[in-house]
Amino acid sequence: GILKKKDVGLICIDQLRKVRGFDDMGGVQRMERLFQTAREWSKTYAPLITVTQLGDTSTNPQYPDMNMLYESKTAIQGECDVIVNIGAVSGSIPEYARWLNIVKNKLPTPDIPALRHGRHEVLLLPEIARFK
């Protein structure tokens, strides 16, 4: 495919679960297979970033945990090197407050090991789609 033909520096996939493939499988098995494939791409070609949603049982979590990922069980968690969940609470003040929960991080953080995992309150700047 295209990954073999191009010199790729970063792979970004919005909603990996919506990528076609492994359609003969359902639910958790399909998700596990997709994330295994994504992990292989990241090892072979370039780092891969994807976005997934939380499951319907996680209404308004401030600091979403790993077990709240949509259709995951442990399939997604096992294949990822880093997982950062973003929480939002309806009616929060300030309105654009968000909460980052670094629930998994296998990457080394030699300068500040305490930042390898953690919870951080941030402010979303919607006009530029960045966190402050």
Side-chain angles (χ1 to χ4, degrees):
I2 194 167
L3 294 175
K4 292 179 184 178
K5 296 176 186 175
K6 302 286 183 183
D7 184 21
V8 178
L10 179 66
I11 304 166
C12 296
I13 302 173
D14 184 18
Q15 300 289 334
L16 181 61
R17 69 182 178 85
K18 292 183 179 181
V19 171
R20 292 178 194 228
F22 311 112
D23 296 332
D24 57 326
M25 300 176 178
V28 174
Q29 286 181 322
R30 182 175 177 281
M31 290 287 283
E32 184 173 17
R33 203 63 184 280
L34 280 170
F35 276 80
Q36 285 172 348
T37 300
R39 185 170 182 82
E40 290 304 315
W41 290 344
S42 72
K43 289 178 183 178
T44 305
Y45 303 108
L48 187 141
I49 296 173
T50 189
V51 175
T52 190
Q53 296 174 325
L54 298 178
D56 60 0
T57 59
S58 55
T59 305
N60 285 326
Q62 189 172 29
Y63 291 103
D65 204 0
M66 243 189 324
N67 63 349
M68 295 178 176
L69 296 174
Y70 180 74
E71 283 191 348
S72 153
K73 304 288 184 199
T74 58
I76 293 173
Q77 295 91 320
E79 298 300 330
C80 295
D81 288 331
V82 176
I83 299 175
V84 178
N85 290 341
I86 302 171
V89 177
S90 296
S92 66
I93 297 174
E95 179 182 0
Y96 294 111
R98 297 295 183 267
W99 293 268
L100 304 181
N101 192 7
I102 305 169
V103 295
K104 182 176 183 180
N105 184 0
K106 290 182 170 181
L107 303 179
T109 52
D111 295 336
I112 309 173
L115 293 180
R116 185 170 178 203
H117 295 94
R119 295 176 170 193
H120 309 278
E121 186 174 343
V122 295
L123 189 61
L124 175 65
L125 303 174
E127 63 278 2
I128 60 172
R130 293 190 185 181
F131 292 112
K132 177 179 178 183

